[in-house]
Amino acid sequence: MVEVVHDEKLLIHFFQDSLSGAALNWYMRLDNIKIQKWKDLVDAFVKQYKYNMDIAPDRTNLSNLEKRDKESIREYAQRWRDLVAQVHHPLLDKEMVTLFANTLKDPYYEHVMGSSAQQFTDAVAITEHIEQGVKNGRIFAHMEKKGFEGKRKEVNYVESGYRGRKNPFQNYHTPSPSP
């Protein structure tokens, strides 16, 4: 492999073979006159794709991620972990556990935070156990109401001891139709 490091044509060839999709299309459109050496290719590539580092996810993006309704804990943890891999300045396992737990809703959050999980894999295993407990009805999961349901609730007034209005609309007058 040491010989390859000094053979610029071979480096460029291997680099080309490693590309696919949009990156390969970009490479194929490069001006051959401008790319004479390996360093020229490296500079052009960095110039083209540096924005990926600039828009890379950060800890805020991780803490704002939420589990989707139909997504299993394992799928969510994998999606979350894939995002972690893109964060600059790698996270410590303990920090990952805390950030991951903070994205969870009850009952997951309280159980993971109450655990002694120090590793991300342990936190995922705990959440999978909780998920199984919820499915089996052994752990109660609070259901969130989403939005206003549009139903009018009837208020039952206690008649004994209450002397005020029994009908909340009794003081409103409905205009009678004009002849």
Side-chain angles (χ1 to χ4, degrees):
M1 187 71 179
V2 174
E3 300 86 29
V4 174
V5 173
H6 299 293
D7 187 346
E8 291 193 3
K9 287 185 180 185
L10 201 52
L11 281 174
I12 291 171
H13 178 74
F14 284 144
F15 179 77
Q16 172 188 343
D17 287 347
S18 72
L19 300 175
S20 64
L24 181 58
N25 289 337
W26 164 83
Y27 178 82
M28 298 306 286
R29 290 189 318 262
L30 275 177
D31 185 0
N32 291 341
I33 296 171
K34 292 182 181 179
I35 307 298
Q36 296 295 317
K37 298 180 180 179
W38 171 248
K39 181 158 178 18
D40 299 334
L41 179 58
V42 169
D43 291 341
F45 184 81
V46 169
K47 181 180 177 185
Q48 176 69 21
Y49 290 102
K50 184 180 181 315
Y51 75 91
N52 286 319
M53 294 186 321
D54 296 337
I55 62 168
D58 58 15
R59 284 159 174 76
T60 303
N61 298 116
L62 291 173
S63 61
N64 290 335
L65 202 63
E66 290 184 357
K67 181 183 167 299
R68 297 175 184 139
D69 288 339
K70 302 292 182 189
E71 188 174 41
S72 73
I73 282 293
R74 181 174 291 262
E75 292 167 338
Y76 173 61
Q78 183 62 49
R79 186 167 55 93
W80 193 88
R81 186 63 179 91
D82 289 345
L83 195 61
V84 168
Q86 299 173 39
V87 172
H88 292 299
H89 308 295
L91 281 71
L92 301 172
D93 263 340
K94 192 171 184 176
E95 185 180 15
M96 270 196 290
V97 170
T98 303
L99 283 171
F100 179 70
N102 284 333
T103 67
L104 300 172
K105 299 199 182 322
D106 282 335
Y108 302 99
Y109 172 78
E110 79 181 62
H111 287 283
V112 173
M113 291 306 282
S115 75
S116 59
Q118 298 291 314
Q119 303 290 318
F120 180 72
T121 54
D122 295 336
V124 172
I126 290 167
T127 55
E128 287 181 316
H129 291 298
I130 297 164
E131 182 177 52
Q132 196 60 40
V134 169
K135 286 180 182 176
N136 293 337
R138 301 182 127 218
I139 297 176
F140 179 71
H142 301 286
M143 299 301 288
E144 286 186 24
K145 293 183 179 179
K146 293 188 177 184
F148 177 69
E149 306 221 358
K151 293 182 181 176
R152 174 183 272 189
K153 294 183 180 179
E154 292 184 25
V155 179
N156 295 322
Y157 290 94
V158 179
E159 297 209 15
S160 61
Y162 185 75
R163 306 266 183 235
R165 291 183 289 162
K166 291 182 184 173
N167 179 353
F169 302 104
Q170 76 184 25
N171 288 338
Y172 293 103
H173 300 289
T174 306
S176 55
S178 301

